[in-house]
Amino acid sequence: MAVSGNGIPHHRVVIIGAGFAGLGMAVRLRQAGETDFVVFDKESGVGGTWWVNRYPGCACDVESHLYSFSFAPNPGWRRMFAPGAEIQTYLQRCAERFGVTPHLRLGTGIRRMDWDDNAGLWHLLDEHGARYTANVVVAGMGALSVPHYPEIPGLERFQGRLFHSQQWDHSQPLDDERVAVIGTGASAIQFVPEIQPRVRHLDLYQRTPAWVLPRPDRPVSPRERNWFQRLPALQRAWRWGLYWMLEARVLAFAKFPGLMRLLQRSAERHLRRQVADPRLRRALTPDYLFGCKRILLSDTFYPAVTAPNVDLVTTGIREVGEHGIVSRDGRERPADTIILGTGFRAADPIPKGMIFGRRGVDLGVLWKDGPQAYKGTTVSGFPNLFMLLGPNTGLGHSSVVLMIESQIAYVVDALRRMGRAGLRAVDVKPEAQQAWNARLQRRLQGTVWNAGGCRSWYLHPVSGRNVTLWPGFTWQFRLHTRRFDLRAYRTRHRDADVAAPATRIAVSGEEW
Ligand code: NAP
């Protein structure tokens, strides 16, 4: 860390977020020999999603041996699909093992950042009022970190307890309460079976049913863990097996959505096996193609919905009153607690008033019709800002850690090339960004996510564009990001008073 003339701490790289993305970036920076960086996170612990989400039953629905860093295999996973707390512990250990801990600045959210075109650096302001500057900012703030609070009339009038699944209120048990759950997505399907046996009554408000498959989870036996420990090659082979098994699904999601009808039959069978009542079964059957929304995995959700203390309410919500929820048919159901399982603002990940680029452009305003970036990582007009899990880097079929690691490699290469070429700043050319997105949107057109007949958080609520998913194999994204393609960027060389490298590499990008 350096301190500028006006006493403001300066870092070469500032990373925002200490989840998979931010920690992975920090580890790779250290391994590349970079020491002048800090990792800010507004939370008091590391783990990002896996620190914040503490609802009962929180777990990953991607196999743990793939949902982990390639450079930090964990032979000790205790379940095939690890619970959230185990993943958080894994990330904590990674931070310690790879020497990231001294770089962490926890409990420090970044409130605002402004690009200074004259100085060629970012000015940052944290939530406590402290200021910093940085040459480069890497934003690993998570695509699913801002809770979506539904605009349901009267929600603020409710006199009981009300919380979002991401901000679970553990202060008071739900035992013996009348509970209303709004939403039947990936989070609700995990916590509903956990709370159902404890509550007196549960009203589950479902707007759109989800396709649900059996969850092939099981404990990893001590013997298997021992093998993985002693034979790292075996664990690598296991990971590769998982990788290709999940990767094959891209063919159905993105290339031949018709294949989804075959897979849909497994979900229909699962529903038939677990729900005997034909009326309830009909209410739980989606009317869109399998895969259009995120496919959910659970063996316990349907049995919970069929329990005698649960009512599935599908008539829609008219309003929330002081003591309960009124459905569209005019019936009021009392509730002591309302739990919002209503997801995240995935299509609007950056709030307005937070990130200001060249000429003071507000990224939140620029993205009002949906986010857009180059390779999901850089945005024209926002020099030296790299986003991890930015627009169209999410996956419907496999582990996002694969995408994160591709982007991290791209950023590390960018820093290396900038250093070698004596560059102070890089800004992706608008035409490169446009061409990338035009191609991306063409490829998304025929996919099940766009054409499967559903409304999902993958599509932007205003523009309808798919702004979240990568429409191909993860190895294709890796090929796109394996080298930092300086040609796609406008560049600015270091000022003459800054020590120039002995050999300045010629770059093709124009200066600005
Ligand atoms: P979600 O999948 O977006 O589900 C939100 C639910 O709330 C949907 O059922 C939605 O209905 C409903 N909803 C939203 N607004 C509503 C309103 N105004 N009135 C009534 N219902 C409303 O959110 P999530 O369950 O939190 O999951 C989000 C994502 O997080 C997942 O897709 C997944 O990527 C990730 N996640 C992953 C795991 C994991 O195991 N790895 C676990 C949890 C979450 P509609 O369907 O009609 O919109």
Side-chain angles (χ1 to χ4, degrees):
M1 182 191 85
V3 176
S4 64
N6 47 13
I8 295 175
H10 175 83
H11 298 280
R12 194 161 124 75
V13 183
V14 157
I15 299 170
I16 307 175
F20 258 106
L23 291 180
M25 187 73 240
V27 171
R28 289 307 207 192
L29 279 185
R30 270 204 67 116
Q31 289 175 338
E34 179 63 62
T35 51
D36 185 10
F37 68 90
V38 283
V39 185
F40 289 108
D41 198 297
K42 62 183 187 317
E43 300 299 327
S44 56
V46 303
T49 287
W50 304 106
W51 172 266
V52 180
N53 281 281
R54 290 165 184 225
Y55 59 79
C58 178
C60 188
D61 57 9
V62 177
E63 286 84 346
S64 320
H65 291 95
L66 189 61
Y67 191 79
S68 39
F69 291 124
S70 61
F71 55 80
N74 174 18
W77 289 121
R78 301 181 83 83
R79 296 198 71 84
M80 286 297 167
F81 295 82
E86 195 179 350
I87 303 173
Q88 193 276 327
T89 304
Y90 165 79
L91 287 170
Q92 173 86 45
R93 291 213 182 112
C94 285
E96 288 159 10
R97 177 178 154 204
F98 292 98
V100 169
T101 313
H103 298 266
L104 294 172
R105 303 289 180 271
L106 299 176
T108 312
I110 294 297
R111 196 200 301 161
R112 178 180 169 126
M113 46 190 269
D114 293 81
W115 173 253
D116 180 338
D117 218 19
N118 293 324
L121 42 76
W122 283 99
H123 294 273
L124 298 103
L125 173 69
D126 76 20
E127 59 189 335
H128 310 298
R131 295 179 184 279
Y132 316 85
T133 54
N135 297 103
V136 167
V137 173
V138 182
M141 299 186 284
L144 298 168
S145 58
V146 185
H148 164 64
Y149 283 89
E151 284 166 12
I152 299 174
L155 206 55
E156 69 295 338
R157 279 208 310 262
F158 183 61
Q159 295 292 304
R161 242 191 330 164
L162 183 145
F163 55 86
H164 187 277
S165 62
Q166 192 218 42
Q167 292 150 352
W168 196 274
D169 178 2
H170 289 278
S171 67
Q172 191 185 316
L174 293 164
D175 297 30
D176 230 22
E177 286 195 0
R178 287 192 67 97
V179 175
V181 171
I182 303 179
T184 50
S187 302
I189 203 176
Q190 292 183 335
F191 69 73
V192 163
E194 296 292 319
I195 64 171
Q196 172 270 317
R198 303 203 322 249
V199 302
R200 179 148 48 95
H201 184 82
L202 196 157
D203 288 317
L204 179 57
Y205 290 84
Q206 170 189 277
R207 188 166 67 179
T208 316
W211 286 114
V212 182
L213 283 179
R215 183 176 171 85
D217 190 20
R218 64 171 178 82
V220 183
S221 70
R223 177 183 288 194
E224 286 169 310
R225 277 185 263 143
N226 193 22
W227 284 343
F228 287 145
Q229 183 78 53
R230 287 165 51 170
L231 298 170
L234 180 68
Q235 193 177 355
R236 273 199 299 279
W238 184 258
R239 183 178 164 101
W240 273 106
L242 290 171
Y243 175 77
W244 286 110
M245 185 183 78
L246 297 185
E247 203 70 349
R249 304 199 303 184
V250 172
L251 292 171
F253 277 107
K255 312 274 178 209
F256 310 106
L259 285 176
M260 280 297 179
R261 294 198 191 287
L262 299 176
L263 300 172
Q264 188 169 306
R265 290 200 196 129
S266 318
E268 288 163 351
R269 261 199 309 278
H270 187 47
L271 177 60
R272 269 200 307 278
R273 235 181 272 138
Q274 293 202 315
V275 180
D277 175 357
R279 267 190 52 215
L280 187 55
R281 214 189 287 152
R282 250 197 317 282
L284 288 164
T285 304
D287 62 359
Y288 55 84
L289 190 54
F290 181 82
C292 183
K293 279 174 178 284
R294 190 175 170 95
I295 299 165
L296 307 184
L297 305 180
S298 179
D299 297 328
T300 50
F301 177 64
Y302 289 144
V305 177
T306 59
N309 65 340
V310 175
D311 280 337
L312 182 73
V313 185
T314 58
T315 36
I317 297 172
R318 190 165 81 194
E319 60 177 335
V320 175
E322 286 183 9
H323 304 291
I325 297 183
V326 184
S327 46
R328 287 242 170 81
D329 55 9
R331 181 165 166 203
E332 176 163 10
R333 293 174 176 80
D336 303 307
T337 297
I338 296 178
I339 305 174
L340 303 173
T342 44
F344 301 92
R345 298 175 59 90
D348 289 314
I350 303 289
K352 290 188 184 111
M354 182 185 179
I355 301 180
F356 294 86
R358 294 183 63 209
R359 300 187 193 93
V361 173
D362 181 340
L363 188 57
V365 173
L366 184 72
W367 278 1
K368 66 182 188 315
D369 294 333
Q372 197 198 79
Y374 178 63
K375 301 191 174 181
T377 313
T378 49
V379 183
S380 188
F382 294 79
N384 290 11
L385 170 64
F386 297 91
M387 298 191 168
L388 304 178
L389 284 190
N392 293 100
T393 55
L395 297 178
H397 73 283
S398 188
S399 165
V400 284
V401 182
L402 299 163
M403 301 295 278
I404 289 173
E405 286 201 50
S406 295
Q407 292 186 288
I408 289 172
Y410 187 74
V411 179
V412 170
D413 196 39
L415 296 180
R416 199 167 48 84
R417 281 169 192 267
M418 285 170 72
R420 285 217 316 243
L423 298 177
R424 176 177 279 274
V426 292
D427 185 15
V428 69
K429 295 177 188 169
E431 59 272 24
Q433 187 175 316
Q434 274 156 20
W436 171 264
N437 282 283
R439 192 156 158 252
L440 199 64
Q441 291 302 326
R442 268 199 307 279
R443 285 183 67 184
L444 278 160
Q445 260 166 34
T447 63
V448 68
W449 306 299
N450 282 35
C454 73
R455 186 180 59 168
S456 76
W457 61 261
Y458 299 150
L459 310 179
H460 192 269
V462 177
S463 65
R465 264 189 306 123
N466 188 327
V467 293
T468 51
L469 291 182
W470 169 246
F473 296 101
T474 59
W475 54 261
Q476 289 174 313
F477 186 74
R478 186 143 300 187
L479 290 180
H480 282 296
T481 47
R482 78 185 190 286
R483 294 180 68 227
F484 182 67
D485 42 355
L486 208 42
R487 278 168 201 283
Y489 289 78
R490 290 185 301 180
T491 55
R492 177 175 283 186
H493 278 90
R494 286 189 197 138
D495 300 341
D497 58 352
V498 176
T503 50
R504 181 182 266 194
I505 296 173
V507 291
S508 63
E510 315 121 36
E511 294 251 328
W512 86 87

